[in-house]
């Protein structure tokens, strides 16, 4: 996540050995999924931007969140802090 901590929108850079479908999921600290972003990205270090909103379009409150990136059988989870939305 970049910037971290930061205000919305936030960018998530992923490292992809080849082009493909990437799923980003935003979770609260209790593990509830708040937003799913599904994209087809090109190989390299593409960036996905998140607007700081949940699935219903409601801005999320400032706080600690997690993002999980899934690509093929790989997944990586990172913490980030949303300062304001």
């Amino acid at each position: 996540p970049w910037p971290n901590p930061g205000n919305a929108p936030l960018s998530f850079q992923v490292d992809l050995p080849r082009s493909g479908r990437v799923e980003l999921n935003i979770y609260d600290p209790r593990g509830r999924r708040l937003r799913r972003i599904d994209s087809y990205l090109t190989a390299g270090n593409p960036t996905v931007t998140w607007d700081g909103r949940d699935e219903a379009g409601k801005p999320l409150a400032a706080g600690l969140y997690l993002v999980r990136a899934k690509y093929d059988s790989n997944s990586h989870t990172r913490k980030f802090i949303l300062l304001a939305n």
Side-chain angles (χ1 to χ4, degrees):
W2 181 83
N4 187 17
N7 300 322
L10 292 175
S11 297
F12 303 98
Q13 187 176 32
V14 291
D15 183 21
L16 299 177
R18 61 186 180 284
S19 300
R21 183 179 158 268
V22 174
E23 182 180 310
L24 291 179
N25 291 290
I26 308 295
Y27 296 93
D28 69 12
R30 298 176 73 185
R32 293 180 293 193
R33 186 174 76 185
L34 304 171
R35 179 78 182 263
R36 179 177 175 260
I37 304 166
D38 193 13
S39 302
Y40 185 87
L41 302 174
T42 58
N45 294 18
T47 300
V48 177
T49 301
W50 171 57
D51 61 4
R53 298 176 182 272
D54 65 12
E55 289 291 341
K58 180 181 173 188
L60 296 181
L64 176 68
Y65 294 93
L66 297 106
V67 59
R68 176 176 289 157
K70 291 170 48 175
Y71 172 77
D72 284 341
S73 61
N74 300 311
S75 72
H76 297 281
T77 304
R78 299 285 184 265
K79 294 178 189 176
F80 67 95
I81 297 173
L82 183 62
L83 295 176
N85 201 354

